[in-house]
Amino acid sequence: MEFKLCDSPWDNEEIEAIQSVIDSDMYTMGKNVAEYERQFAEHFGAKYAVQVNSGSTANLLAIAALVYSGKLDRGSEVIVPAVSWSTTYAPLEQFGMKLIFVDIDRYTLNLDINSVKNAITDKTKMVFAVNLLGNSNEYDKLLKICSEKGIILIEDNCESLGATYKGKYLGTIGLLGTYSTFYSHHMCTMEGGVVVTDDRELYEYMLAIRAHGWTRNLPTNSKIYEKKEDSFYESFNFIVPGFNIRPLEMEGAIGIKQLKKIDKMIDIRRSNAEYFLKKMKKYDDIRVQKEVGESSWFGFAMILTGKLFDKRGSLVEKLRKANIECRPIVAGNFTRNPVIKYMDYRIPSPLTNADEIHEQGLFIGNHSSNNNEQVDYFIEILDSFLLNNL
Ligand SMILES: Cc1ncc(COP(=O)(O)O)c(C=O)c1O
């Protein structure tokens, strides 16, 4: 028996989609990407979606668009949770922001609302909320704080595609929301990412920045640049410092197939989670993630407490030997990673809960197919571990 972090959400349809791109002999971004973006936006309830080559570049594109559109000045203070992936933070540092790391809530593993409130200064211009492991932030509270203070709210939703808060899909609550469709995420386009927004201007900046900063992908009635009739001129005309972070046409074609299955896959993840949570109730010294809204359960987080507080190393070893894959809870307390030396940052109050996650947290996988048997196997191994370690 083995329990992997993730399963493949593909069947023949995705292979056929790849083959159809090969047959067309058109590999670069084209009609499949455009159609995927249209369907993605419609499915999740956003006006616009822009596909890119990863969730990391989705974050990069979001920050670049905010800066070049004049909505976010370099040097601004941006509040971030202390627990997230490295590329939530990297684009902020690359665009000259000051990162303000605040603690997470020890139950939801997302932004601690009081810590956010206490971290706000005159220089705070944005909160970059991260929806960790499928779980929502408390958006009513965050939206209230941000609107009262005139602060932008955006979402890194790379781990929480398909999750909702009060009937809205995560990723569509902030001004911009990003997604990852890397293998092991809720849907897979090999590599891949998406940014959504309802803001037409930001959307158009993203179209230009994604592809070299040129005007070619802008609509004729663009809000950010008046295109000339001359297509020769507009084929190589640059209006903003850009990247090339375009997706491949195959990634768009696969995405269309994956979107058809996503609701069902999320339902299965939720019923797997229900099963897991029921099984975990008997352990007093293991805390699981508290759901806010309707989680899409990326994985199953656990924090070892009480008599188990110093047992993570030996449990991880036991799981490894039993072929059960597990990982730290994202980057733990990110500020304890060596990369922090490159960043301009401030930590206004102690990151106590992030530290607990750093030292006592781990997560195992959830799947897009029924994994009750693997969960049973995990429980069996956990029980034998506890028998020998307590
Ligand atoms: C919160 C978060 N943001 C961004 C990313 C980056 O996504 P990608 O791996 O597609 O670059 C990840 C990756 O898993 C993530 O967990």
Side-chain angles (χ1 to χ4, degrees):
M1 185 72 150
E2 61 176 354
F3 188 168
K4 289 198 158 295
L5 267 192
C6 53
D7 61 342
S8 170
W10 287 14
D11 56 32
N12 263 346
E13 278 193 73
E14 285 74 14
I15 308 300
E16 282 161 21
I18 293 173
Q19 188 59 50
S20 75
V21 174
I22 295 171
D23 294 343
S24 76
D25 202 25
M26 270 289 301
Y27 295 93
T28 55
M29 189 176 84
K31 65 180 185 352
N32 280 291
V33 169
E35 179 56 19
Y36 171 59
E37 290 175 336
R38 195 192 62 72
Q39 290 186 19
F40 195 97
E42 187 179 283
H43 188 95
F44 293 108
K47 277 199 184 144
Y48 310 105
V50 180
Q51 190 183 15
V52 284
N53 57 7
S54 73
S56 300
T57 52
N59 283 344
L60 182 64
L61 185 61
I63 303 303
L66 287 165
V67 170
Y68 293 129
S69 65
K71 289 182 166 54
L72 182 68
D73 292 335
R74 291 173 204 262
S76 299
E77 293 193 352
V78 177
I79 293 178
V80 287
V83 177
S84 186
W85 191 248
S86 62
T87 50
T88 304
Y89 311 113
L92 294 171
E93 141 46 46
Q94 285 149 351
F95 275 91
M97 305 301 157
K98 184 167 189 133
L99 289 100
I100 310 299
F101 289 98
V102 303
D103 208 4
I104 51 157
D105 178 274
R106 64 198 299 261
Y107 300 102
T108 67
L109 311 186
N110 282 326
L111 280 169
D112 176 67
I113 301 297
N114 278 331
S115 302
V116 172
K117 277 188 196 154
N118 295 335
I120 292 173
T121 69
D122 291 347
K123 293 193 185 127
T124 309
K125 295 289 178 277
M126 189 164 88
V127 173
F128 198 173
V130 179
N131 304 314
L132 209 77
L133 293 173
N135 205 25
S136 179
N137 277 270
E138 296 175 84
Y139 279 108
D140 277 355
K141 293 178 188 162
L142 281 180
L143 284 167
K144 186 162 180 283
I145 296 169
C146 289
S147 75
E148 276 171 12
K149 302 271 180 193
I151 294 170
I152 296 170
L153 175 68
I154 67 168
E155 294 171 78
D156 180 336
N157 195 44
C158 288
E159 295 185 5
S160 300
L161 184 146
T164 59
Y165 179 79
K166 302 203 170 164
K168 257 190 141 203
Y169 277 110
L170 300 192
T172 67
I173 295 170
L175 180 60
L176 293 153
T178 62
Y179 300 78
S180 167
T181 55
F182 178 65
Y183 183 73
S184 85
H185 288 235
H186 298 82
M187 52 183 260
C188 163
T189 59
M190 306 189 282
E191 295 275 2
V194 178
V195 190
V196 300
T197 187
D198 285 349
D199 186 296
R200 173 71 186 256
E201 200 181 272
L202 283 173
Y203 168 62
E204 292 193 11
Y205 272 100
M206 290 195 286
L207 294 179
I209 297 165
R210 170 175 64 177
H212 317 280
W214 67 18
T215 56
R216 197 188 296 184
N217 300 110
L218 293 178
T220 40
N221 60 344
S222 168
K223 292 233 180 305
I224 63 167
Y225 170 76
E226 199 176 328
K227 272 176 124 172
K228 293 193 191 342
E229 293 286 306
D230 183 349
S231 63
F232 180 76
Y233 177 82
E234 292 296 357
S235 61
F236 282 1
N237 181 27
F238 303 90
I239 52 164
V240 67
F243 310 110
N244 182 358
I245 51 175
R246 287 178 300 212
L248 294 171
E249 187 65 344
M250 282 178 187
E251 289 163 339
I254 299 164
I256 293 169
K257 302 293 178 194
Q258 287 277 280
L259 270 182
K260 289 200 180 121
K261 304 173 185 171
I262 190 64
D263 289 348
K264 188 149 180 256
M265 294 196 290
I266 301 289
D267 282 350
I268 295 171
R269 280 178 178 273
R270 287 189 177 133
S271 67
N272 289 345
E274 216 176 293
Y275 189 77
F276 170 79
L277 295 173
K278 204 166 71 194
K279 294 276 168 181
M280 293 302 289
K281 276 199 180 125
K282 64 177 176 173
Y283 305 110
D284 291 338
D285 289 338
I286 304 179
R287 201 169 73 233
V288 292
Q289 190 176 22
K290 181 179 166 215
E291 187 177 17
V292 175
E294 272 197 298
S295 176
S296 55
W297 296 101
F298 184 101
F300 301 140
M302 285 166 267
I303 296 105
L304 308 183
T305 62
K307 294 189 283 300
L308 292 177
F309 93 97
D310 61 349
K311 296 278 188 291
R312 185 178 66 175
S314 39
L315 176 59
V316 167
E317 186 54 18
K318 173 94 180 170
L319 296 178
R320 198 186 58 75
K321 285 197 178 128
N323 292 319
I324 298 173
E325 286 187 323
C326 67
R327 293 283 185 277
I329 297 181
V330 199
N333 174 349
F334 182 75
T335 68
R336 290 169 64 174
N337 286 264
V339 60
I340 199 68
K341 70 170 188 251
Y342 294 98
M343 303 204 166
D344 181 15
Y345 68 99
R346 192 161 59 80
I347 303 175
S349 50
L351 304 174
T352 315
N353 299 330
D355 279 335
E356 189 191 29
I357 296 292
H358 199 91
E359 279 150 22
Q360 294 153 236
L362 71 151
F363 84 92
I364 57 168
N366 188 9
H367 298 162
S368 51
S369 54
N370 182 309
N371 71 354
N372 295 355
E373 236 178 78
Q374 282 100 325
V375 167
D376 285 342
Y377 175 58
F378 168 75
I379 297 292
E380 185 189 313
I381 299 296
L382 184 58
D383 283 342
S384 104
F385 175 79
L386 295 177
L387 208 62
N388 294 320
N389 281 274
L390 287 181

